[in-house]
Amino acid sequence: MPLRKSEGKRRSTDSGVEPDRGALSQEKKDQRIALFLSDFDQQAKENIQEMKKELDSLLQTAEKALTVELLKMPVAIRKMKRKDLL
């Protein structure tokens, strides 16, 4: 005979985070929305700053690689005009 799980407490569908959500006044809802939007804006600004830092780092890496490649070329080619090189 297969074993059956013991009948424990059943889980409710309510998470219990906010029991009376429908009872909130419009003012409270507006405050929550404003808080959410300000938090969203702050996170967006932080992400943009982080991306700018990464972009600067990538640009510096590319500039260093270009400098190294230019140093590998002979002096005559380095001093040559691009038009003449092409």
Side-chain angles (χ1 to χ4, degrees):
M1 179 181 224
L3 294 175
R4 296 179 70 181
K5 292 184 179 179
S6 63
E7 301 244 353
K9 291 184 180 179
R10 291 185 177 222
R11 293 183 184 181
S12 68
T13 57
D14 184 19
S15 64
V17 174
E18 199 173 328
D20 294 329
R21 188 171 196 157
L24 289 177
S25 67
Q26 186 64 32
E27 185 177 313
K28 290 275 189 182
K29 288 180 183 178
D30 291 342
Q31 286 176 350
R32 285 178 172 245
I33 290 171
L35 182 62
F36 173 77
L37 290 175
S38 66
D39 182 53
F40 183 84
D41 288 341
Q42 182 63 33
Q43 288 181 5
K45 287 177 184 177
E46 289 173 3
N47 287 339
I48 288 171
Q49 289 296 328
E50 185 178 326
M51 287 188 282
K52 284 181 180 179
K53 287 179 183 177
E54 289 177 15
L55 179 62
D56 288 340
S57 174
L58 287 172
L59 286 173
Q60 288 177 355
T61 302
E63 287 175 358
K64 287 177 184 177
L66 177 64
T67 303
V68 168
E69 291 300 318
L70 286 174
L71 290 174
K72 289 180 182 178
M73 293 180 180
V75 177
I77 294 177
R78 269 189 273 167
K79 291 184 178 180
M80 191 181 298
K81 293 182 181 178
R82 288 187 197 134
K83 183 179 177 182
D84 295 337
L85 180 64
L86 295 175

